[in-house]
Amino acid sequence: MTDATRMVLASRPQGKPVPDNFRKEEVTLPALTDGTFLVRVIWLSLDPYMRGRMDDAKSYAKPVAIGDTMEGGAVGEVMNSRNADYPKGAIVAGAFGWTTHAVSDGTSVRIVDPAVAPISTAQGVLGMPGITAWVGLNDIGRAQDGETIVVSAATGAVGAIVGQLARARNMRVIGVAGGADKCAHAVQDLGYHACLDHHAHDAKSLSQAIADAAPDGVDVYFESVGGKTLEAVLPHMNTHGRIALCGMIAWYSGHGIGDAQPLPTVWRHILTRRLLVEGFISFDHFHKFDAFLAEVGPMVRDGRITYREDIAEGLENAPDAFLRMLSGGNFGKQLVRVGADPA
Amino acid sequence: MTDATRMVLASRPQGKPVPDNFRKEEVTLPALTDGTFLVRVIWLSLDPYMRGRMDDAKSYAKPVAIGDTMEGGAVGEVMNSRNADYPKGAIVAGAFGWTTHAVSDGTSVRIVDPAVAPISTAQGVLGMPGITAWVGLNDIGRAQDGETIVVSAATGAVGAIVGQLARARNMRVIGVAGGADKCAHAVQDLGYHACLDHHAHDAKSLSQAIADAAPDGVDVYFESVGGKTLEAVLPHMNTHGRIALCGMIAWYSGHGIGDAQPLPTVWRHILTRRLLVEGFISFDHFHKFDAFLAEVGPMVRDGRITYREDIAEGLENAPDAFLRMLSGGNFGKQLVRVGADPA
């Protein structure tokens, strides 16, 4: 019998989430049965999609029930096992949730090879954010070498990978990020040709800055924010441009930023420029995971793709780190160190 | 030397166009030079896209200049020719404009075979509206046999063809049209499984009616109106649904109908359902015209596809017919009989 600490959803947020929406619980896990194994969580990933799970609105996934453990991807070590596919000592990635320990039957769990890169990358550049970036750029954004791309949340877990993959394809790569430090990182470390600080702009001046940075217009917009960034990019989309829509963090906790833009204006742009706007969710594309790892794994190993992590210490700090991330306070892929590295 | 009567753009509309935005002019055409030919216009086509040409907003095509002949597709007879490809007596279709006669050098002009169908169809079911329907259903809407489609402007020049092509593909076909007579025509003559009269509904009850008519949800929305029809359809789109966006007639003369729907709501639907929204314009696809004619020509000839025409008599009535069409007053493909049938 193993004791676990968990963070559960205490209440649904009204607009912006607050710390009281979460509650810490101590539970005792059931004994292992045939086919199951016990995981000690090492890294918990915090991702914007979790905000959606806190609401009970209809979406692509069921909401987290009040009192249930918050959902989340994590990397851990198998401590005990009655499943030969996941032996004791294996490093595994799966949807273990905001918890220190979990019992799993292997559903949607994959083995992580620590020889490729540090195991935390299984929740970042070589995990869900990575395949989101790779699919969004190639399959949804239909990026072509030499085109111009604008990447919102340019230094975020997904955006940072989009930018580097796009640069490797000889695209002109323009980022939008919140803060001068993030923009400097985007240009100096991630290879962006230009990065615009949306804190320093309203929608109109941001739009002008994009026009200046993209003299040939914008062919692909990697959209994960909505709000004023969308408003600023849209007028500069080239004919037959593509918008890969994987998030809208500016609007996750209600409207307010950039939602003054009337729908007819957006619809007119899509029509007259013959744009393609496609929503996508990484899990629809997990069957491509091996192809993704085969291409991007070596790029991470040899340093062609770098990554930055923003680490909160201890599960009890997950709610604060999550709230900070929702308002753009993280700098790099947001992780929580839940347990010690494997021996 | 030939005299021609033309309708020119007298002034740009402020919101809804009015008759005073047009002016009749008599001109004398220049003598033919090598490579040119004289066309006597028989049928002028009136189409919603012309509304866009009256504004000077940036769009996919240049606006008509004040004082210039209104643009428009037409079918006519070659009266005199110094171009061997377009001999005297040939029936031709081209962008001759709102005029009784035109001199052409053959740019974007095609020969019409009167043996296939009445020559007026070269501006309808076998012309631009036809290829718009065919491309929008197949290439943009990515329709699959057995899926459910909603067609806005269901009995319009484009919608009527979309509906019949979709029915021929064993899709479940739901129309939205303005008026009980149009809806009866849609079901009785065009093969729609159901047709909803948007005059009889607000956005909310229209949405419920769509839900009732589409028990398996909506896979493809053929969008040419925007406004409340868009608002009503969107919540019923299935995961991985497609919106083929070829027009937004409800919003052509300013906002007002259905534009209360906030952009974030639309964006959220696109994201969570992983929709694909693609704008398209027929002229990007004219290279497929032969393939289109080869497939749809025989369907028209043997009656599998029927069509209905709404005919205004005389060029001077073109403005009124156009204004009527913009508010949905036409019933079938809107044409103007400018000259007599060929002998």
Side-chain angles (χ1 to χ4, degrees), chain A residues 150 152 174 176 196-198 201-212 214 218 221 223 225-237 243 251 257-259 261 265-266 269 273, chain B residues 263:
Chain A
V150 171
S152 61
I174 299 159
V176 179
L196 310 171
D197 175 7
H198 64 75
H201 290 283
D202 61 14
K204 194 175 166 197
S205 77
L206 184 59
S207 188
Q208 183 57 53
I210 288 168
D212 294 342
V218 178
Y221 173 41
E223 160 72 309
V225 303
K228 75 178 172 187
T229 303
L230 169 60
E231 184 171 351
V233 173
L234 203 52
H236 306 298
M237 292 299 295
I243 298 179
W251 289 325
I257 308 164
D259 57 358
Q261 182 171 35
T265 305
V266 175
H269 276 112
R273 312 277 173 91
Chain B
L263 175 60

Side-chain angles (χ1 to χ4, degrees), chain B residues 97-160:
Chain B
W98 296 26
T99 184
T100 58
H101 299 78
V103 171
S104 170
D105 66 358
T107 302
S108 302
V109 174
R110 62 191 167 83
I111 300 278
V112 174
D113 179 359
V116 174
I119 63 171
S120 61
T121 61
Q123 290 301 329
V125 62
L126 295 179
M128 185 272 283
I131 194 171
T132 301
W134 183 77
V135 162
L137 179 71
N138 298 314
D139 296 348
I140 310 297
R142 292 138 167 100
Q144 302 296 317
D145 295 1
E147 288 189 328
T148 297
I149 185 171
V150 171
V151 183
S152 61
T155 63
V158 175

